[in-house]
Amino acid sequence: CSVTQTVGINLQPTPTLSILNTTTLCLGSLLNATVTGAANYTWSTGATGSLTVLSPTVNTSYSIAATSSANCPAILQFSIQVLPTLTLTASSDKSVICSGQTVSLGAAGALTYSWSNGSTLIPTTVSPTLSSTYSVTGTNAFGCSKTASLYITVNPLPTVQIVSTRTAICKGEKQLLTATGANSYTWNTGSSSSTLLVNPLSTTAYSVY
């Protein structure tokens, strides 16, 4: 006597894992790494879930152990290449200026540059009316960026006046001119005093700066 028994085996597929984000990053940056293709994930860093943040300082290999909803296992291995950073410096020919003067801003250490005022030139010339901070972002050949800043102090111009008791005198008379509003003075006569005693032979203009 014989009997036949039939049983069905449902074969579940092995998960196919993929890393969505790039596997290169600049030194000091964070990588939001995302894996897809399964239901449960365990990273070699100890993290669990489909998303983790990685910040290696050297080229590093990682692995992900995953299982599908049917508990089928899969392992994915990948590496992150850490791109070299850049040493960016910003400089200026003057750090303190008077209002109306210009400053030449420079930068070094990158391939391309972008200033906070929109300029991409090295050097670039600015003429701030108020004390200001200028920042420059440099990018190297690998696409890694860094920002440096510098501060320019702008001093206001003095308000200079020439004080004279009279602006009309008789020939042979003398008149004392007094300059105010600054710390030092230079008259168009060459005098560097704050006062100037004049005895013009004809109508004469006097100026001081």
Side-chain angles (χ1 to χ4, degrees):
C1 298
S2 64
V3 65
T4 300
Q5 177 69 46
T6 302
V7 62
I9 301 297
N10 186 12
L11 184 63
Q12 299 294 324
T14 299
T16 301
L17 305 181
S18 299
I19 290 288
L20 296 183
N21 298 58
T22 179
T23 53
T24 60
L25 83 164
C26 300
L27 182 64
S29 300
L30 300 176
L31 176 66
N32 293 315
T34 302
V35 61
T36 62
N40 304 292
Y41 308 92
T42 300
W43 300 74
S44 54
T45 59
T48 58
S50 61
L51 172 66
T52 192
V53 178
L54 303 174
S55 183
T57 57
V58 296
N59 295 347
T60 305
S61 296
Y62 298 92
S63 63
I64 305 170
T67 56
S68 66
S69 56
N71 208 35
C72 295
I75 294 179
L76 174 65
Q77 293 182 331
F78 69 98
S79 297
I80 292 180
Q81 179 186 6
V82 179
L83 301 175
T85 187
L86 64 161
T87 302
L88 181 69
T89 57
S91 60
S92 64
D93 61 343
K94 297 181 289 287
S95 60
V96 180
I97 63 171
C98 295
S99 179
Q101 292 182 325
T102 60
V103 180
S104 179
L105 306 179
L111 181 64
T112 60
Y113 304 88
S114 177
W115 291 93
S116 52
N117 65 351
S119 174
T120 58
L121 300 177
I122 298 294
T124 189
T125 301
V126 296
S127 183
T129 57
L130 299 173
S131 297
S132 306
T133 298
Y134 291 90
S135 60
V136 59
T137 299
T139 304
N140 64 12
F142 299 97
C144 298
S145 299
K146 196 171 184 179
T147 300
S149 300
L150 48 80
Y151 187 77
I152 304 298
T153 300
V154 180
N155 291 324
L157 297 177
T159 302
V160 179
Q161 290 183 321
I162 299 177
V163 178
S164 175
T165 56
R166 291 186 298 170
T167 57
I169 61 174
C170 296
K171 187 174 182 180
E173 289 185 321
K174 295 181 180 180
Q175 179 63 34
L176 182 66
L177 307 179
T178 302
T180 63
N183 293 327
S184 62
Y185 307 90
T186 300
W187 296 85
N188 61 338
T189 62
S191 173
S192 58
S193 173
S194 62
T195 60
L196 181 67
L197 185 62
V198 297
N199 182 19
L201 300 178
S202 61
T203 300
T204 305
Y206 296 93
S207 61
V208 66
Y209 64 92

